[in-house]
Amino acid sequence: MRLNELDERIVRALAEDARRSYADIGAEVGLSAPAVKRRVDRLREQGAITGFTVRVDPAVLGWETEGFVEMYCRHKTSPEDIRRGLARYPEVASASTVTGDADAIVQVFASDMRHFERVLERIAGEPFVERTRSVLVLSPLLRRYGSGTPA
Amino acid sequence: MRLNELDERIVRALAEDARRSYADIGAEVGLSAPAVKRRVDRLREQGAITGFTVRVDPAVLGWETEGFVEMYCRHKTSPEDIRRGLARYPEVASASTVTGDADAIVQVFASDMRHFERVLERIAGEPFVERTRSVLVLSPLLRRYGSGTPA
DNA sequence: CGTGAAAAACTAGAGTG
DNA sequence: CACTCTAGTTTTTCACG
């Protein structure tokens, strides 16, 4: 599915500021407020827009420690198994299956090193996990588009 | 800076749905709508909340190909050099310096494989880059908290 | 899609503990 | 100082053309 130009401009406006009024966005793209709302509603129904969220400074919420965990899984582990297993961790901000040696890359936020270690141990103990390899984030350089901050 | 419990619950509510009304959030945390608004305003002033954004299915916006690029940099490359160098790429959603062999991990979104390859070549050609190693995302399993989608 | 009216939400100000 | 209450304003929402 692709969006037409109008939908894309609306999404772009919302990405910059999701609390702008429909009338305001409409003035920018050349539509009335109800027309903008109708399109946003439709985009939500179609799953193009999956929600609205807030961009937060991670440190302020106490998520001081961030890392990436490469997961090596047992044979015959399905992506859905991994997803279900990881969904239970609030510390997991994102996870994807990937090409290369590892099966998945998991982005983890923790309050401190001890917390990170504890999460890592629990993940490594999941039945579908063979082993893990992780790197810690030293400093986040760039974090655009509201990228991954736990709540 | 740390937040008190009330602020944290408000932020958590907004992270789930940034368009919930103040009154609605207030009912959950035990405050009136104006009280919630005042706290949100203050959090924005303090920089704890940096904005509101929309969660979008990347594929719908034409970002079909995602990958992680490990960067190995020349000696004496500062984090700030890396940041400045990568900030010019709209395809770069996030970048962090990390522990381990590589110096930085960069998350890249591209429209397709050819586009991804082109971006990778340009990044590898940056003067501060020695070599890169990249993995492609096969399927995104989990993407919470508005995690990294280009606009 | 736009218009216009009703309902809801926002927000500034005043008053209270 | 932070809250609630109140009231005016703006925004959202929906029916209709």
Side-chain angles (χ1 to χ4, degrees):
Chain A
M1 181 204 340
R2 283 297 268 113
L3 305 182
N4 64 33
E5 194 220 321
L6 229 42
D7 287 331
E8 195 161 327
R9 287 172 65 191
I10 292 171
V11 170
R12 227 173 270 276
L14 287 172
E16 272 181 33
D17 179 3
R19 296 207 84 149
R20 273 180 75 180
S21 76
Y22 292 136
D24 201 23
I25 296 172
E28 186 175 309
V29 304
L31 289 177
S32 66
V36 174
K37 178 193 178 338
R38 268 194 297 268
R39 281 171 182 261
V40 171
D41 286 346
R42 188 164 44 76
L43 290 169
R44 297 196 67 160
E45 275 172 27
Q46 294 173 345
I49 290 176
T50 58
F52 298 93
T53 190
V54 63
R55 258 194 296 259
V56 181
D57 178 352
V60 173
L61 284 173
W63 302 96
E64 305 268 5
T65 306
E66 180 187 353
F68 291 95
V69 180
E70 290 181 357
M71 284 186 22
Y72 296 77
C73 297
R74 290 202 204 295
H75 292 314
K76 297 193 299 189
T77 301
S78 72
E80 179 54 24
D81 289 337
I82 302 176
R83 198 198 58 73
R84 259 202 311 272
L86 292 176
R88 288 180 291 112
Y89 296 84
E91 295 90 352
V92 171
S94 70
S96 308
T97 54
V98 292
T99 62
D101 294 339
D103 295 301
I105 289 186
V106 183
Q107 186 187 21
V108 173
F109 280 86
S111 54
D112 55 32
M113 205 66 82
R114 287 193 46 234
H115 182 193
F116 188 85
E117 189 175 8
R118 209 162 57 238
V119 173
L120 195 58
E121 279 170 6
R122 284 183 54 207
I123 290 178
E126 292 286 341
F128 56 84
V129 176
E130 203 125 69
R131 66 193 185 85
T132 65
R133 201 181 76 92
S134 56
V135 299
L136 282 164
V137 166
L138 294 173
S139 51
L141 303 174
L142 223 58
R143 213 187 277 287
R144 283 208 274 243
Y145 320 120
S147 296
T149 301
Chain B
M1 183 203 338
R2 282 297 269 114
L3 305 182
N4 66 33
E5 193 220 322
L6 229 42
D7 287 331
E8 194 161 327
R9 287 173 65 192
I10 291 171
V11 170
R12 225 173 270 277
L14 286 173
E16 272 180 34
D17 179 3
R19 296 208 85 152
R20 272 181 76 181
S21 74
Y22 293 137
D24 201 22
I25 295 171
E28 186 176 309
V29 304
L31 288 177
S32 65
V36 174
K37 178 193 170 358
R38 249 196 315 279
R39 279 170 181 264
V40 172
D41 286 346
R42 189 161 46 77
L43 290 169
R44 298 196 68 161
E45 276 172 26
Q46 294 173 344
I49 290 177
T50 58
F52 298 94
T53 190
V54 62
R55 259 194 295 259
V56 181
D57 178 352
V60 173
L61 284 174
W63 302 95
E64 305 268 5
T65 307
E66 180 186 355
F68 291 95
V69 180
E70 290 181 357
M71 285 186 22
Y72 296 77
C73 297
R74 290 202 205 295
H75 292 314
K76 296 194 299 188
T77 301
S78 74
E80 179 53 24
D81 289 338
I82 302 176
R83 198 199 58 73
R84 259 202 311 271
L86 293 176
R88 287 181 291 111
Y89 296 83
E91 295 89 352
V92 171
S94 70
S96 308
T97 53
V98 292
T99 62
D101 295 339
D103 295 301
I105 290 186
V106 183
Q107 185 186 21
V108 173
F109 282 87
S111 54
D112 55 32
M113 205 65 83
R114 287 192 46 235
H115 183 193
F116 188 86
E117 189 176 7
R118 209 162 58 237
V119 173
L120 195 57
E121 280 170 5
R122 284 182 56 207
I123 290 178
E126 291 286 341
F128 56 83
V129 175
E130 202 125 68
R131 67 192 184 85
T132 65
R133 202 181 76 91
S134 56
V135 299
L136 281 164
V137 166
L138 294 172
S139 53
L141 303 174
L142 222 58
R143 212 187 278 288
R144 284 208 276 242
Y145 320 120
S147 295
T149 302

